[in-house]
Amino acid sequence: HILKYTGLFGGVQGLNILIGLVRNKFVALILGPDGMGLVSLFNSTIRLVSDSTNFGIAMSAVRNVSESIESGDEERLHRVIGTVRTWSLLTALLGMFLCMALSSWLSDWTFSWGDHSLHFVLLSPVVALMAITGGETAILKGGRHLGALAVVSVYNMIFALVCSVPLFYFFGQAGIVPSLFLLALMQCVLTIAYSYKLYRPSFSFSKQYFKEGGDMVRLGTAFVLAGIFGSGAEFILRSYLNNVAELNVVGLYNAGFVLTMTYAGMVFSSMEADYFPRLSGVGELGEELNRMVSRQIEVSLLIISPMLMLFMVVLPVMLPLLFSREFLPMMGMMRFATLAMFFRSINMPMEYIALSRGDSRSYLLLEAAYYMMFLLMAILGWQWGGLTGTGVALLACTVANFMMVLTYVRWRYGYWLSKEVLIYALIQISLAIMTCCFTFMLTGVGYWLSGGLMILASLLVSVRILRSKTHLWSSLKNKVYQRFHKE
């Protein structure tokens, strides 16, 4: 099951990456690092406002919808969905008006030059659209409508390509704000269309809905605070880089960070859509929950390892191809950030335990500690080694967070990494560290030969284990035989 839906969302994410590569290439050529830095600053600021005002409904609602479906009570499900939609609308209005009211302050904090207050006023509807989209997406996730989520994701990327590139081409940086609005609008419309088709529209402002929504909001308060920590850390770091360096440095950092996370997202994308609702459906702590977490880690680690090594090795070719040679200075940062994703693939399934239990305090504690470490280490890393130093800082922070989460979930939930996970992690992370070292030490034929050998070794390990544990090869042969037999 895990392999199936990781493949589904990995395939969708792969298609999104291909479309995004074409879009990023055009945007990089048209706007350059400065323009991409401007997009990054607007996005991070809007995300901060959104995370501060949406009351965590996009996450807390998934658990509520999933539980109501597990109960089999149709009336309860309809009531929960109506509550989610009502509160999403209220938070949308709150976020939009707050963004308008704070536009001048946001401009002063984000930029050290010019007055961008009007830009944030024009972007305020984006905050509202994000809140509504978040609520409807939570309904689709909790209802396990994974196909609809996949289709919406693909359509969004296609629209982003055909909409933003012409705007940037004809209007340059002046097209950034209209582009962000149109993308948010399209995503919202598509998500609503699929959600309303599955669950009829329902809103209510009765006391019962407000009471149930209040319980959801209390659970989501931790998500809000965690979102503020995350968006705030990114916001402060980008503003810091914008003030101590130049705007193009913000563009380089953002492009490297987003590209690394997007590539790893081919595997991570299935966790929130499939793994989190399934984990929320497990009633109690114990063997069943522990087994589910360990299996998710196994599949994630085995699938992502050869992909990340390939990504690390081909960076000298990929960056000029995807962007331009102006973006080569971020290569060192990306190698260390890629290495951090190995630990992230183990960490994420463990972090979802707190979310699935509704343990908002534990989730908030872990997230706050991570982002405080991230911000401090990233600033120190920049001062020590520039962009490459920020990559080293991200790796160090991710490893420290992995140790902290592992210790906490052992104490709080009785979970510990299985013997298989420990063995697979030791093999794959050792290969990844050697690959990273080779990319810094070698050049020419030695670089490509050693990198290729490491990728092949990782791929063979993953395929052999997945084949033995999922009977993958037998399943594929049976499907081919059945189809051939029918024809």
Side-chain angles (χ1 to χ4, degrees):
H1 178 91
I2 297 169
L3 189 62
K4 174 183 176 181
Y5 283 103
T6 300
L8 169 65
F9 282 94
V12 170
Q13 188 70 10
L15 180 60
N16 288 346
I17 288 174
L18 290 176
I19 299 171
L21 295 181
V22 178
R23 177 174 176 265
N24 287 340
K25 180 67 175 180
F26 281 113
V27 174
L29 291 174
I30 296 170
L31 299 181
D34 285 359
M36 294 190 76
L38 194 59
V39 173
S40 169
L41 289 171
F42 280 135
N43 270 326
S44 60
T45 308
I46 291 301
R47 175 61 62 182
L48 174 61
V49 177
S50 175
D51 289 343
S52 304
T53 57
N54 62 21
F55 293 120
I57 289 176
M59 287 298 294
S60 62
V62 174
R63 182 171 181 267
N64 288 37
V65 175
S66 181
E67 286 180 343
S68 63
I69 287 179
E70 289 291 333
S71 70
D73 188 340
E74 288 292 330
E75 182 180 349
R76 177 187 173 189
L77 176 61
H78 178 70
R79 189 171 64 250
V80 168
I81 290 174
T83 302
V84 173
R85 287 173 172 161
T86 301
W87 278 88
S88 295
L89 179 61
L90 294 174
T91 58
L93 295 174
L94 173 65
M96 182 174 67
F97 289 125
L98 188 65
C99 187
M100 289 182 181
L102 299 178
S103 58
S104 178
W105 182 85
L106 292 173
S107 175
D108 293 339
W109 268 81
T110 308
F111 298 94
S112 58
W113 46 272
D115 184 5
H116 297 269
S117 301
L118 180 59
H119 290 150
F120 287 111
V121 171
L122 296 175
L123 286 171
S124 60
V126 175
V127 179
L129 292 170
M130 290 169 66
I132 295 172
T133 302
E136 298 302 327
T137 301
I139 293 171
L140 292 176
K141 288 176 182 176
R144 321 284 172 85
H145 299 289
L146 307 182
L149 288 171
V151 171
V152 170
S153 178
V154 173
Y155 282 152
N156 284 334
M157 289 301 299
I158 294 174
F159 184 78
L161 174 64
V162 300
C163 170
S164 58
V165 172
L167 281 173
F168 294 152
Y169 179 78
F170 289 108
F171 300 102
Q173 293 186 4
I176 292 176
V177 172
S179 171
L180 294 176
F181 171 76
L182 289 175
L183 295 183
L185 177 63
M186 182 63 178
Q187 185 176 14
C188 184
V189 170
L190 280 173
T191 310
I192 285 177
Y194 276 90
S195 181
Y196 278 27
K197 184 178 179 180
L198 293 164
Y199 304 104
R200 66 183 187 274
S202 57
F203 295 88
S204 177
F205 296 93
S206 66
K207 290 184 178 180
Q208 182 183 9
Y209 275 62
F210 274 100
K211 182 180 182 299
E212 293 188 3
D215 296 336
M216 191 185 303
V217 167
R218 278 192 291 274
L219 175 61
T221 300
F223 303 147
V224 174
L225 295 175
I228 292 174
F229 273 112
S231 300
E234 290 290 343
F235 171 73
I236 293 172
L237 179 59
R238 283 169 170 79
S239 297
Y240 169 80
L241 293 176
N242 185 43
N243 283 279
V244 302
E246 298 177 354
L247 185 60
N248 71 315
V249 171
V250 182
L252 291 172
Y253 168 79
N254 185 70
F257 185 80
V258 169
L259 185 59
T260 305
M261 293 302 297
T262 301
Y263 193 76
M266 290 181 66
V267 175
F268 296 158
S269 59
S270 68
M271 290 194 193
E272 191 174 327
D274 171 56
Y275 170 63
F276 176 43
R278 284 192 299 110
L279 198 64
S280 299
V282 178
E284 299 178 355
L285 298 176
E287 184 179 349
E288 182 182 358
L289 183 138
N290 293 353
R291 184 170 59 251
M292 186 179 293
V293 176
S294 293
R295 286 177 175 173
Q296 184 71 41
I297 294 174
E298 288 178 29
V299 174
S300 300
L301 181 64
L302 292 172
I303 291 179
I304 205 172
S305 295
M307 292 169 51
L308 289 177
M309 290 184 205
L310 175 64
F311 181 71
M312 198 184 302
V313 171
V314 301
L315 279 176
V317 176
M318 182 182 290
L319 292 181
L321 183 64
L322 300 184
F323 301 102
S324 67
R325 299 194 68 83
E326 292 179 276
F327 289 80
L328 283 175
M330 67 187 187
M331 186 161 57
M333 180 198 85
M334 291 183 66
R335 284 170 176 160
F336 285 109
T338 303
L339 198 56
M341 293 303 105
F342 285 87
F343 293 93
R344 187 72 176 146
S345 68
I346 304 173
N347 219 31
M348 282 188 69
M350 294 192 294
E351 291 176 343
Y352 274 106
I353 298 176
L355 290 176
S356 70
R357 301 303 94 191
D359 190 354
S360 55
R361 292 183 180 178
S362 294
Y363 174 73
L364 177 58
L365 173 65
L366 295 173
E367 289 293 293
Y370 170 76
Y371 284 114
M372 289 176 66
M373 285 193 299
F374 164 76
L375 184 59
L376 177 61
M377 290 185 179
I379 292 175
L380 292 175
W382 164 260
Q383 294 175 350
W384 168 70
L387 281 173
T388 301
T390 61
V392 175
L394 179 61
L395 173 59
C397 181
T398 305
V399 174
N401 186 58
F402 163 70
M403 299 302 297
M404 179 179 65
V405 171
L406 182 61
T407 303
Y408 191 85
V409 297
R410 173 64 174 175
W411 168 74
R412 181 79 172 176
Y413 309 110
Y415 174 77
W416 189 252
L417 297 176
S418 67
K419 179 181 177 181
E420 289 84 359
V421 170
L422 291 172
I423 293 173
Y424 304 157
L426 180 62
I427 295 171
Q428 295 288 15
I429 292 176
S430 297
L431 291 172
I433 293 173
M434 287 190 287
T435 304
C436 187
C437 292
F438 289 150
T439 59
F440 280 102
M441 295 167 56
L442 302 176
T443 58
V445 177
Y447 175 94
W448 295 107
L449 182 60
S450 61
L453 289 174
M454 291 296 102
I455 295 167
L456 181 61
S458 175
L459 182 62
L460 290 175
V461 169
S462 293
V463 170
R464 182 173 181 179
I465 295 171
L466 288 173
R467 179 181 173 183
S468 67
K469 288 211 162 193
T470 62
H471 306 290
L472 181 61
W473 185 246
S474 299
S475 299
L476 289 174
K477 285 196 298 185
N478 289 336
K479 286 186 178 181
V480 172
Y481 173 78
Q482 289 171 6
R483 182 165 184 176
F484 179 77
H485 185 68
K486 286 180 181 180
E487 291 176 355

